[in-house]
Amino acid sequence: MLQTGHAEARLKISEKPDLRELFVEYGAAFALGVLILFNMIFTKNFLSINTLFLVIKQATPILFMTIGMTLVISSGGIDISTGSMMGFCGIIIALDVAGGGNFYLWALLGLAACGLVGAFNGFMIARVGVQPIILTLVMQIAMRGFTVLMANSKVFVLSKHPAIRILGLYRFPGKIPIQTVFFVAIVVVSIFVVRQTVLGKKVEAVGENTRAARLAGIKTTSVLITVYVLSAVMAGFCGILELARNAALDPNELGKLYEMDAIAGVAVGGTSMKGGKSNVIGSIMGCIIMVLVATTVNMNGVPFAVANIIKAFIIIFSLAIQREKTV
């Protein structure tokens, strides 16, 4: 009887909701709700359709990078080079568009070039065994160097190019910015790929245990190369959207620190930073949180640097919450 009582007591203890796990799973939704409530109370003109479209315009480019980063992190890696990849893709387009080239052709070539760099990253990590954070940090520096050299340190103003004006400024009848189409598309496609395709399952399996995944017949090298190619291409697309939104390219600034927003969005969203579990809906909400933090700071007249400090605390808090239990 005594043993049965102890077993029942242990069962009741194990059935208690784990607040840490709940926060990891639903923390992004909670934080997003708190941020919206704060703005509803304290931020003037927050509840307006213009603010909604502003958030969508700002969130759409970084959402592409965040989705790519979600795949990389759930595979057990990280990609620090994505911010510089934006600039690299942008300068390939800017150089040729400024010379009269076709925007769409060079956008495709820019994305292809990013894909090749991503394939190199994936190969070095999967086959050579280089640590992802070290390799991609080196590539971040290298890609920024290439970008500045190709631009000859020159800032490109591209506002007169029709395709760039359309991609950056066009609004559908009424007020809906064109970025809304890309926002909806990447949300739908990313949820489908991560949750419904074999690739999404393989990425999580590799992130959970690479050796076990290999023994189970998964071609881990191919999976990792694919993940880093997707991350690089997504970063390139992010660069194209930002280039179009700004109608200009500064080789030193385009994409600078964007990778931190992407990593923060993934961390807040509940994807395991050790790999093996992805939460793409959480990453989408995490991305919106990062943009809303900057919007909140801006709309309340607070110095923009404060937004970066807040984001840093959010990352640290998210990582602390994700820590493994030691007792």
Side-chain angles (χ1 to χ4, degrees):
M1 290 292 291
L2 185 60
Q3 288 180 345
T4 303
H6 285 168
E8 290 176 350
R10 283 196 299 271
L11 182 60
K12 288 180 180 178
I13 290 172
S14 65
E15 287 177 347
K16 283 185 177 179
D18 188 325
L19 290 178
R20 186 187 67 87
E21 291 180 0
L22 284 176
F23 208 89
V24 170
E25 191 70 27
Y26 303 107
F30 176 75
L32 184 59
V34 169
L35 198 52
I36 291 174
L37 183 63
F38 174 89
N39 278 293
M40 288 170 65
I41 297 172
F42 296 104
T43 304
K44 188 178 178 182
N45 297 325
F46 177 75
L47 287 178
S48 69
I49 195 70
N50 287 334
T51 303
L52 174 64
F53 288 150
L54 175 66
V55 170
I56 290 176
K57 285 183 71 173
Q58 293 178 339
T60 300
I62 193 67
L63 182 56
F64 277 81
M65 186 186 291
T66 303
I67 296 301
M69 194 68 76
T70 301
L71 290 171
V72 170
I73 290 177
S74 61
S75 76
I78 198 162
D79 191 350
I80 308 293
S81 67
T82 48
S84 295
M85 202 74 72
M86 286 176 61
F88 178 63
C89 185
I91 192 59
I92 290 174
I93 298 168
L95 279 172
D96 293 282
V97 167
N102 183 289
F103 170 81
Y104 298 105
L105 172 64
W106 286 99
L108 288 175
L109 292 174
L111 292 175
C114 290
L116 287 175
V117 176
F120 172 76
N121 286 344
F123 178 81
M124 294 297 290
I125 290 166
R127 296 291 292 179
V128 182
V130 181
Q131 285 293 318
I133 192 168
I134 301 298
L135 175 70
T136 56
L137 180 61
V138 170
M139 291 304 292
Q140 178 198 53
I141 298 168
M143 300 309 294
R144 184 64 67 185
F146 275 122
T147 301
V148 174
L149 277 176
M150 290 168 70
N152 198 22
S153 301
K154 174 184 171 186
V155 175
F156 290 78
V157 178
L158 305 165
S159 57
K160 293 183 179 178
H161 198 286
I164 290 178
R165 282 207 306 273
I166 292 172
L167 198 57
L169 301 174
Y170 182 77
R171 288 174 179 263
F172 291 105
K175 297 181 179 179
I176 304 173
I178 192 171
Q179 286 84 357
T180 308
V181 175
F182 297 107
F183 185 91
V184 173
I186 188 61
V187 166
V188 172
V189 172
S190 62
I191 291 174
F192 175 76
V193 169
V194 173
R195 290 191 164 188
Q196 302 295 328
T197 67
V198 175
L199 175 63
K201 305 302 178 189
K202 286 183 177 178
V203 170
E204 288 187 340
V206 171
E208 179 72 27
N209 188 322
T210 304
R211 187 168 181 270
R214 189 180 301 115
L215 291 173
I218 296 175
K219 296 179 180 177
T220 56
T221 299
S222 298
V223 171
L224 288 175
I225 290 175
T226 301
V227 163
Y228 280 91
V229 167
L230 287 174
S231 174
V233 171
M234 292 289 223
F237 209 93
C238 176
I240 293 172
L241 291 176
E242 276 297 85
L243 180 150
R245 192 167 70 91
N246 298 321
L249 180 142
D250 184 337
N252 286 298
E253 295 296 327
L254 183 63
K256 191 175 181 180
L257 295 181
Y258 272 53
E259 66 276 4
M260 297 309 297
D261 278 356
I263 293 169
V266 176
V268 173
T271 292
S272 171
M273 300 305 285
K274 293 184 177 180
K277 177 193 170 188
S278 58
N279 186 340
V280 68
I281 295 178
S283 294
I284 294 166
M285 288 191 284
C287 172
I288 296 172
I289 290 170
M290 292 303 114
V291 173
L292 264 184
V293 167
T295 303
T296 302
V297 164
N298 187 42
M299 292 183 75
N300 286 282
V302 179
F304 187 76
V306 174
N308 290 332
I309 297 172
I310 295 173
K311 290 174 186 176
F313 275 112
I314 289 174
I315 295 174
I316 293 169
F317 180 73
S318 300
L319 294 177
I321 287 291
Q322 284 198 22
R323 77 194 189 285
E324 294 289 342
K325 281 185 174 179
T326 56
V327 293

